[in-house]
């Protein structure tokens, strides 16, 4: 359909990448991005660790795996063309105990199936070649894993949208979504905007916004706050590249790790604690409405029954720097409590099903003229341009949403 208008709710990196993809690939289509905040990328994108994941962790054949690998190639090229930061500093996924070697080898086979480039297994001695201050019994080395600046990329995407004739409407909190003849009416207070199609990329608010469009109630979003420590500047040279643990396959979180940033700082973390507000970037931020929603949802209690021991351990690290750094010291023994200061925090929009299952893969729903991104956890930033291709294909009939 020529000369139609497509609305995008959410100006995080996925929403902006999708708006950009439509603007560039569908000539004659007008794009309008609706964002409640006064700037783009203020939430998950703006609190992202900056890692460009190579595709090591994801189940072969899943959307995560396919879109991550495709997304890396697109993102690398985009950063080069726009002269945005993109540094291939490499990653070690380290086994610190013998009983982790089986999981590490399984991860290696998974990564090979995902065509992760140049990945290899290395010995205890080789770990020291890459990380002189590191420790472990063996590791996987991914030399092509990179870091970047996702807020800068998101701002560049927004500029591309505007330069292509689209619009990014800031300060436009969506309060209503109504089907009207031949289209959708998007409401913010007393203002209404009619669009022909609507794509929801609302991140931490994705389930609430989807319900406005009469989408199914599940999955629900559970906010997990990830808190970081920062190595003091004089100790930042203890770490050269990314150092990660071998992940526990029972959880969608990767554990405490070391993350150099493009500005030269080095983060340690994150933990993963249940936030008391959807945008609860600090321990003191509490939303009674969000808490009531969590308490009323059966999936919350089923999740808690399964993972309460892990939850207690994560909260201990939230309040105790000593406890927080205990795990980190397994990977870089010379780093201790005196070497770090409290850093920032992000909130992950983790989708949760009614049975208490933490969703791992991307999930996208269709309701008439509305397409809702219901779960887009890490590596969503890495995969953002590939996710945009997938969504646009689904919306315009070139692929099917799952």
């Amino acid at each position: 359909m020529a000369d139609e208008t497509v609305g995008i709710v959410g100006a995080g990196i996925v929403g902006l990448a999708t708006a950009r993809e439509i603007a560039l690939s569908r000539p004659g289509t007008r794009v309008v991005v609706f964002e409640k905040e006064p700037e783009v990328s203020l939430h998950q994108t703006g609190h992202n660790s900056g890692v460009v994941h190579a595709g090591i962790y994801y189940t072969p054949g899943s959307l995560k795996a396919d879109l991550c690998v495709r997304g890396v190639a697109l993102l690398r090229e985009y950063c080069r063309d726009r002269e945005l930061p993109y540094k291939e500093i490499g990653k070690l996924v380290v086994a610190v105990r013998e009983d982790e070697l089986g999981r590490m080898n399984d991860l290696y086979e998974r990564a090979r199936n995902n065509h992760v480039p140049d990945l290899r297994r290395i010995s205890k001695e080789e770990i020291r070649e890459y990380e002189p201050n590191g420790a472990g019994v063996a590791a996987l080395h991914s030399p092509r894993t990179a870091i970047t600046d996702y807020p800068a990329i998101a701002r560049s995407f927004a500029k591309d949208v505007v330069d292509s004739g689209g619009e990014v409407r800031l300060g436009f909190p969506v309060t209503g979504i109504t089907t009207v003849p031949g289209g959708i009416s998007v409401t913010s207070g007393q203002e209404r905007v009619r669009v022909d199609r609507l794509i929801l990329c609302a991140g931490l608010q994705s389930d609430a916004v989807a319900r406005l469009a009469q989408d199914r109630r599940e999955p629900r979003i559970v906010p997990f706050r990830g808190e970081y420590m920062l190595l003091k500047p004089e100790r930042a040279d203890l770490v050269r590249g990314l150092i990660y643990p071998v992940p526990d396959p029972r959880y969608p979180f990767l554990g405490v790790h070391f993350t150099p940033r493009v500005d030269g700082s080095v983060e340690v973390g994150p933990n993963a604690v249940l936030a008391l507000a959807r945008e609860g970037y600090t321990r003191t931020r509490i939303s009674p409405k969000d808490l009531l929603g969590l308490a009323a949802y059966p999936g919350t209690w089923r999740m808690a029954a399964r993972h309460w021991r892990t939850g207690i351990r994560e909260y201990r690290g939230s309040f105790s720097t000593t406890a927080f750094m205990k795990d980190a010291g397994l990977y870089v023994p010379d780093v201790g409590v005196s070497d770090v200061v409290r850093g920032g925090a992000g909130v992950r929009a983790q989708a949760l099903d009614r049975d208490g299952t933490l969703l791992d893969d991307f999930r996208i729903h269709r309701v008439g003229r509305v397409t809702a991104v219901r779960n887009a956890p890490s590596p969503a930033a890495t995969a953002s341009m590939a996710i945009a291709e997938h969504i646009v294909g689904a919306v315009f009939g070139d692929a099917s949403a799952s």
Side-chain angles (χ1 to χ4, degrees):
M1 183 188 299
D3 300 321
E4 66 178 352
T5 299
V6 178
I8 312 284
V9 178
I13 196 166
V14 173
L16 291 168
T18 302
R20 176 183 179 274
E21 179 68 18
I22 295 170
L24 296 179
S25 68
R26 311 286 302 189
T29 301
R30 180 171 176 266
V31 180
V32 183
V33 180
F34 304 107
E35 169 56 49
K36 70 184 179 73
E37 302 293 356
E39 301 175 34
V40 304
S41 74
L42 284 189
H43 291 292
Q44 290 187 106
T45 304
H47 294 82
N48 192 285
S49 66
V51 177
V52 183
H53 292 282
I56 295 172
Y57 307 103
Y58 317 120
T59 302
S62 65
L63 273 179
K64 265 191 175 185
D66 294 344
L67 297 181
C68 180
V69 173
R70 168 70 175 157
V72 170
L74 293 171
L75 197 68
R76 184 192 305 116
E77 181 180 358
Y78 185 84
C79 288
R80 183 180 65 242
D81 290 346
R82 297 301 198 279
E83 298 184 344
L84 293 167
Y86 190 97
K87 301 179 181 180
E88 291 185 345
I89 63 171
K91 173 194 282 188
L92 293 180
V93 182
V94 180
V96 293
R97 301 187 308 271
E98 295 287 337
D99 62 7
E100 293 180 323
L101 292 176
R103 281 193 281 133
M104 190 193 82
N105 289 329
D106 290 343
L107 200 63
Y108 176 75
E109 294 302 325
R110 174 175 288 197
R112 285 186 62 195
N113 288 329
N114 290 336
H115 307 291
V116 174
D118 304 324
L119 184 77
R120 67 188 189 96
R121 287 176 280 213
I122 64 173
S123 66
K124 177 179 182 178
E125 292 72 27
E126 289 175 299
I127 289 174
R128 290 290 185 132
E129 294 178 14
Y130 295 103
E131 294 290 347
N133 300 293
V137 297
L140 302 180
H141 180 230
S142 172
R144 302 289 294 277
T145 299
I147 57 175
T148 189
D149 183 341
Y150 285 117
I153 292 171
R155 292 191 293 270
S156 184
F157 285 170
K159 183 177 184 300
D160 292 343
V161 171
V162 174
D163 289 348
S164 299
E167 184 180 2
V168 179
R169 301 196 63 172
L170 303 174
F172 193 101
V174 173
T175 56
I177 298 171
T178 308
T179 300
V180 296
I184 301 290
S185 177
V186 182
T187 302
S188 180
Q190 300 301 310
E191 189 172 2
R192 288 181 173 84
V193 179
R194 184 195 176 284
V195 298
D196 297 286
R197 306 174 194 255
L198 187 64
I199 302 170
L200 310 181
C201 301
L204 288 161
Q205 308 295 339
S206 60
D207 56 344
V209 175
R211 286 200 298 274
L212 294 177
Q214 307 305 309
D215 192 10
R216 66 190 77 167
R217 297 185 67 82
E218 281 88 26
R220 297 284 187 89
I221 292 299
V222 176
F224 281 91
R225 186 173 63 255
E227 301 162 329
Y228 290 89
M229 298 289 178
L230 280 174
L231 288 185
K232 293 178 179 178
E234 62 271 20
R235 300 292 278 170
D237 61 358
L238 286 172
V239 175
R240 292 181 176 178
L242 298 151
I243 305 175
Y244 278 58
V246 175
D248 187 329
R250 294 174 298 174
Y251 306 108
F253 309 107
L254 295 177
V256 170
H257 46 270
F258 291 82
T259 308
R261 303 297 299 262
V262 294
D263 64 2
S265 63
V266 178
E267 291 181 329
V268 186
N271 57 2
V273 298
L274 189 66
L276 303 182
R278 297 218 178 192
E279 297 167 10
Y281 300 106
T282 64
R283 290 196 293 264
T284 57
R285 175 73 186 275
I286 299 173
S287 166
K289 178 183 177 182
D290 292 345
L291 277 178
L292 182 61
L294 286 172
Y297 185 50
T300 304
W301 299 102
R302 290 167 182 153
M303 174 191 68
R306 293 178 189 174
H307 304 305
W308 64 271
R309 290 182 180 86
T310 300
I312 290 173
R313 185 175 69 245
E314 295 292 318
Y315 269 108
R316 187 179 297 123
S318 179
F319 288 93
S320 166
T321 302
T322 300
F324 191 103
M325 294 300 296
K326 182 179 179 181
D327 287 343
L330 297 174
Y331 302 91
V332 183
D334 289 341
V335 171
V337 172
S338 63
D339 300 312
V340 297
V341 295
R342 286 276 174 180
V347 180
R348 171 180 175 138
Q350 175 60 54
L352 178 70
D353 268 335
R354 179 171 285 266
D355 66 359
T357 300
L358 296 165
L359 300 189
D360 182 59
D361 206 0
F362 301 140
R363 184 175 290 189
I364 301 170
H365 292 172
R366 290 280 297 277
V367 182
R369 293 173 176 266
V370 179
T371 301
V373 179
R374 298 297 300 267
N375 192 45
S378 178
T382 299
S384 56
M385 297 179 76
I387 294 172
E389 289 181 338
H390 178 80
I391 292 171
V392 172
V395 168
F396 292 97
D398 302 322
S400 58
S402 60

